Amino acid sequence: MELLKDYIRKYGNVPNDNVLKVDSFLNHQIDTNLMMELAKDFKEHFKDKKITKILTIETSGIAPSVFLGYLLNVPVVFMKKNSSAILDQNFYHTTVHSFTKNIDYDLILSKKYINEDDHVIFIDDFMANGEACLGALRIIKEANAHVSGIGIVIEKSFQNGRKLVEEKGYDIYSQVRIKSLRKETITFVDEK
Ligand code: 5GP
Protein backbone atom coordinates (compact mmCIF):
# COMPACT_ATOMS: atom_id res chain seq x y z
CA MET A 1 0.00 0.00 0.00
CA GLU A 2 1.81 3.09 -1.29
CA LEU A 3 0.33 5.55 1.21
CA LEU A 4 1.54 3.43 4.13
CA LYS A 5 4.99 3.12 2.59
CA ASP A 6 5.12 6.92 2.32
CA TYR A 7 4.24 7.24 6.02
CA ILE A 8 6.88 4.68 6.97
CA ARG A 9 9.54 6.39 4.87
CA LYS A 10 8.64 9.79 6.30
CA TYR A 11 7.98 8.99 9.97
CA GLY A 12 9.48 5.53 10.69
CA ASN A 13 12.49 5.14 12.97
CA VAL A 14 14.87 2.21 12.99
CA PRO A 15 16.47 1.82 16.44
CA ASN A 16 18.15 -1.44 15.42
CA ASP A 17 18.24 -3.91 12.52
CA ASN A 18 15.09 -5.73 13.71
CA VAL A 19 12.68 -3.08 14.96
CA LEU A 20 10.69 -0.36 13.22
CA LYS A 21 9.14 2.37 15.34
CA VAL A 22 6.04 4.09 14.02
CA ASP A 23 4.94 5.89 17.17
CA SER A 24 3.83 9.04 15.38
CA PHE A 25 0.99 7.40 13.44
CA LEU A 26 0.24 3.92 14.85
CA ASN A 27 1.89 2.91 18.13
CA HIS A 28 1.54 6.00 20.29
CA GLN A 29 -0.12 8.83 18.39
CA ILE A 30 -2.74 7.57 15.93
CA ASP A 31 -3.32 9.15 12.54
CA THR A 32 -7.05 8.71 12.06
CA ASN A 33 -7.03 9.54 8.34
CA LEU A 34 -4.42 6.87 7.76
CA MET A 35 -6.39 4.38 9.92
CA MET A 36 -9.42 4.92 7.69
CA GLU A 37 -7.34 4.31 4.57
CA LEU A 38 -5.90 1.11 6.10
CA ALA A 39 -9.43 -0.03 6.94
CA LYS A 40 -10.69 0.68 3.39
CA ASP A 41 -7.79 -1.32 1.99
CA PHE A 42 -8.53 -4.28 4.31
CA LYS A 43 -12.23 -4.05 3.43
CA GLU A 44 -11.44 -4.21 -0.28
CA HIS A 45 -9.03 -7.11 0.17
CA PHE A 46 -11.49 -9.19 2.19
CA LYS A 47 -14.60 -8.18 0.23
CA ASP A 48 -15.48 -11.74 -0.79
CA LYS A 49 -15.23 -13.14 2.73
CA LYS A 50 -17.99 -13.68 5.21
CA ILE A 51 -17.08 -11.64 8.30
CA THR A 52 -18.99 -11.44 11.55
CA LYS A 53 -16.22 -10.16 13.81
CA ILE A 54 -12.81 -8.52 13.82
CA LEU A 55 -10.34 -9.95 16.34
CA THR A 56 -7.20 -8.08 17.37
CA ILE A 57 -4.78 -7.63 20.28
CA GLU A 58 -4.47 -4.70 22.62
CA THR A 59 -3.12 -2.07 22.15
CA SER A 60 -1.93 -1.20 18.69
CA GLY A 61 -4.16 -3.55 16.71
CA ILE A 62 -7.25 -1.77 18.01
CA ALA A 63 -7.11 1.43 15.96
CA PRO A 64 -7.10 -0.04 12.44
CA SER A 65 -9.54 -2.73 13.59
CA VAL A 66 -12.10 -0.27 14.87
CA PHE A 67 -12.16 1.60 11.57
CA LEU A 68 -12.56 -1.70 9.71
CA GLY A 69 -15.28 -2.86 12.09
CA TYR A 70 -17.10 0.40 11.49
CA LEU A 71 -16.88 0.04 7.69
CA LEU A 72 -18.09 -3.58 7.83
CA ASN A 73 -20.63 -2.89 10.55
CA VAL A 74 -19.34 -5.73 12.73
CA PRO A 75 -17.99 -5.74 16.31
CA VAL A 76 -14.29 -5.59 17.15
CA VAL A 77 -13.00 -7.82 19.94
CA PHE A 78 -9.52 -7.40 21.32
CA MET A 79 -7.58 -10.01 23.24
CA LYS A 80 -6.14 -8.72 26.47
CA LYS A 81 -2.59 -9.30 27.52
CA ASN A 82 -1.71 -11.13 30.77
CA SER A 83 -3.64 -11.00 34.06
CA SER A 84 -3.42 -14.47 35.51
CA ALA A 85 -6.10 -13.34 37.98
CA ILE A 86 -8.81 -13.95 35.41
CA LEU A 87 -7.58 -17.20 33.94
CA ASP A 88 -10.81 -19.04 34.62
CA GLN A 89 -13.16 -21.14 32.55
CA ASN A 90 -14.98 -18.12 31.20
CA PHE A 91 -11.90 -17.15 29.19
CA TYR A 92 -9.87 -18.63 26.40
CA HIS A 93 -6.20 -18.14 27.01
CA THR A 94 -2.91 -18.96 25.39
CA THR A 95 0.71 -18.05 26.08
CA VAL A 96 2.77 -16.18 23.50
CA HIS A 97 6.25 -14.76 23.42
CA SER A 98 6.61 -11.02 22.90
CA PHE A 99 9.15 -10.14 20.24
CA THR A 100 9.56 -6.54 21.35
CA LYS A 101 9.70 -7.17 25.13
CA ASN A 102 11.30 -10.64 25.06
CA ILE A 103 8.90 -12.00 27.67
CA ASP A 104 6.05 -14.52 27.67
CA TYR A 105 2.55 -13.25 28.27
CA ASP A 106 -0.98 -14.64 28.20
CA LEU A 107 -3.57 -13.59 25.68
CA ILE A 108 -7.06 -13.84 27.09
CA LEU A 109 -10.50 -13.54 25.51
CA SER A 110 -13.87 -13.87 27.14
CA LYS A 111 -15.88 -16.80 25.78
CA LYS A 112 -18.81 -14.42 25.50
CA TYR A 113 -17.42 -12.65 22.47
CA ILE A 114 -16.44 -15.38 20.00
CA ASN A 115 -18.25 -18.62 19.28
CA GLU A 116 -18.77 -21.28 16.63
CA ASP A 117 -21.05 -19.03 14.56
CA ASP A 118 -18.35 -16.43 14.04
CA HIS A 119 -16.34 -15.78 10.88
CA VAL A 120 -13.32 -13.89 12.11
CA ILE A 121 -10.74 -11.61 10.52
CA PHE A 122 -7.60 -11.30 12.67
CA ILE A 123 -5.87 -7.92 12.38
CA ASP A 124 -2.60 -6.81 13.96
CA ASP A 125 -0.22 -3.88 13.62
CA PHE A 126 3.00 -5.88 13.07
CA MET A 127 4.05 -9.38 12.21
CA ALA A 128 7.53 -10.42 13.32
CA ASN A 129 7.88 -14.08 14.36
CA GLY A 130 4.16 -14.74 14.14
CA GLU A 131 3.70 -15.50 17.84
CA ALA A 132 0.77 -13.13 18.32
CA CYS A 133 -0.97 -14.37 15.18
CA LEU A 134 -0.45 -18.05 16.02
CA GLY A 135 -1.81 -17.36 19.52
CA ALA A 136 -4.88 -15.72 18.01
CA LEU A 137 -5.37 -18.68 15.67
CA ARG A 138 -5.21 -21.08 18.63
CA ILE A 139 -7.90 -19.11 20.40
CA ILE A 140 -10.15 -18.91 17.33
CA LYS A 141 -9.77 -22.68 16.97
CA GLU A 142 -10.60 -23.28 20.61
CA ALA A 143 -13.75 -21.21 20.14
CA ASN A 144 -14.65 -23.35 17.08
CA ALA A 145 -14.97 -20.14 15.08
CA HIS A 146 -14.01 -19.82 11.42
CA VAL A 147 -10.91 -17.90 10.23
CA SER A 148 -11.98 -15.66 7.33
CA GLY A 149 -8.61 -13.94 6.98
CA ILE A 150 -5.48 -12.50 8.52
CA GLY A 151 -4.61 -8.85 7.93
CA ILE A 152 -1.32 -7.30 9.02
CA VAL A 153 -0.47 -3.63 8.70
CA ILE A 154 3.35 -4.00 8.67
CA GLU A 155 5.02 -7.34 8.04
CA LYS A 156 8.74 -7.68 8.66
CA SER A 157 9.36 -10.29 6.01
CA PHE A 158 12.92 -10.97 7.13
CA GLN A 159 11.47 -12.62 10.25
CA ASN A 160 9.76 -15.99 10.48
CA GLY A 161 6.10 -15.14 11.05
CA ARG A 162 4.69 -15.48 7.53
CA LYS A 163 6.41 -18.83 7.02
CA LEU A 164 5.09 -20.29 10.29
CA VAL A 165 1.54 -19.09 9.71
CA GLU A 166 1.49 -20.25 6.07
CA GLU A 167 2.76 -23.66 7.19
CA LYS A 168 -0.45 -23.95 9.20
CA GLY A 169 -2.40 -23.43 5.97
CA TYR A 170 -3.43 -19.79 6.33
CA ASP A 171 -3.05 -16.87 3.90
CA ILE A 172 -1.76 -13.55 5.17
CA TYR A 173 -2.53 -10.18 3.68
CA SER A 174 0.06 -7.56 4.69
CA GLN A 175 -0.39 -3.94 3.70
CA VAL A 176 3.36 -3.45 3.50
CA ARG A 177 6.17 -5.98 3.62
CA ILE A 178 9.60 -4.92 4.83
CA LYS A 179 12.56 -6.76 3.41
CA SER A 180 15.25 -5.23 5.58
CA LEU A 181 15.94 -2.64 8.27
CA ARG A 182 19.69 -2.98 8.08
CA LYS A 183 21.89 0.07 8.56
CA GLU A 184 18.88 2.19 9.51
CA THR A 185 17.56 1.82 5.97
CA ILE A 186 14.00 0.68 5.35
CA THR A 187 13.71 -1.54 2.25
CA PHE A 188 10.36 -2.91 1.14
CA VAL A 189 9.97 -6.37 -0.41
CA ASP A 190 8.96 -4.99 -3.81
CA GLU A 191 11.85 -2.55 -4.26
CA LYS A 192 15.57 -2.88 -4.84
P1 5GP B 1 5.21 -11.47 16.60
O1 5GP B 1 4.20 -11.98 17.56
O2 5GP B 1 4.79 -11.63 15.16
O3 5GP B 1 6.58 -11.98 16.85
O4 5GP B 1 5.31 -9.91 16.86
C1 5GP B 1 4.20 -9.11 16.60
C2 5GP B 1 3.87 -8.24 17.76
O5 5GP B 1 5.04 -7.66 18.32
C3 5GP B 1 2.99 -7.12 17.28
O6 5GP B 1 1.73 -7.25 17.90
C4 5GP B 1 3.68 -5.85 17.71
O7 5GP B 1 3.00 -5.31 18.80
C5 5GP B 1 5.05 -6.26 18.18
N1 5GP B 1 6.13 -5.94 17.21
C6 5GP B 1 6.93 -6.83 16.58
N2 5GP B 1 7.86 -6.23 15.85
C7 5GP B 1 7.65 -4.90 16.00
C8 5GP B 1 8.32 -3.74 15.48
O8 5GP B 1 9.30 -3.78 14.72
N3 5GP B 1 7.82 -2.52 15.87
C9 5GP B 1 6.74 -2.42 16.69
N4 5GP B 1 6.32 -1.18 16.99
N5 5GP B 1 6.10 -3.49 17.21
C10 5GP B 1 6.55 -4.73 16.87
Side-chain angles (χ1 to χ4, degrees):
M1 195 184 163
E2 287 307 316
L3 177 68
L4 179 56
K5 282 186 191 165
D6 291 343
Y7 266 77
I8 292 171
R9 285 190 192 104
K10 197 163 173 193
Y11 303 115
N13 292 305
V14 183
N16 63 53
D17 286 359
N18 293 315
V19 173
L20 173 67
K21 294 207 73 162
V22 289
D23 282 2
S24 64
F25 63 86
L26 182 57
N27 291 143
H28 197 356
Q29 174 171 258
I30 293 167
D31 185 311
T32 53
N33 289 310
L34 176 66
M35 293 305 114
M36 183 55 93
E37 294 309 312
L38 300 183
K40 285 182 193 164
D41 181 70
F42 279 136
K43 182 181 176 194
E44 172 62 22
H45 182 82
F46 294 117
K47 63 177 187 294
D48 297 329
K49 304 287 182 189
K50 179 173 180 186
I51 303 166
T52 62
K53 223 154 254 189
I54 315 290
L55 178 67
T56 188
I57 303 182
E58 67 175 359
T59 307
S60 295
I62 296 176
S65 298
V66 166
F67 282 76
L68 179 59
Y70 178 79
L71 291 180
L72 297 175
N73 196 24
V74 298
V76 175
V77 187
F78 60 90
M79 291 179 279
K80 298 189 180 195
K81 290 176 180 163
N82 85 54
S83 199
S84 48
I86 42 173
L87 290 186
D88 65 43
Q89 63 195 26
N90 299 315
F91 290 81
Y92 301 114
H93 57 90
T94 190
T95 304
V96 299
H97 186 76
S98 163
F99 170 75
T100 39
K101 300 195 177 98
N102 196 24
I103 51 161
D104 287 345
Y105 62 94
D106 283 321
L107 282 179
I108 62 158
L109 173 66
S110 168
K111 291 183 179 175
K112 279 192 259 181
Y113 301 126
I114 289 211
N115 62 47
E116 67 272 14
D117 297 327
D118 280 315
H119 292 249
V120 177
I121 295 277
F122 171 68
I123 297 286
D124 205 7
D125 59 340
F126 273 86
M127 178 171 280
N129 293 320
E131 283 274 328
C133 181
L134 292 167
L137 291 169
R138 287 194 293 276
I139 283 186
I140 296 170
K141 195 171 178 191
E142 211 187 324
N144 292 315
H146 178 82
V147 180
S148 293
I150 298 170
I152 301 293
V153 178
I154 301 172
E155 173 190 324
K156 292 183 295 175
S157 305
F158 55 90
Q159 292 174 300
N160 246 351
R162 171 177 286 271
K163 181 172 169 281
L164 295 175
V165 174
E166 285 180 345
E167 275 172 9
K168 300 245 173 225
Y170 297 98
D171 288 333
I172 301 168
Y173 172 60
S174 302
Q175 294 182 311
V176 303
R177 301 183 64 198
I178 292 178
K179 182 160 85 181
S180 164
L181 295 171
R182 277 197 300 266
K183 297 185 185 159
E184 295 178 28
T185 304
I186 302 164
T187 314
F188 295 99
V189 164
D190 47 3
E191 70 181 358
K192 293 235 167 77

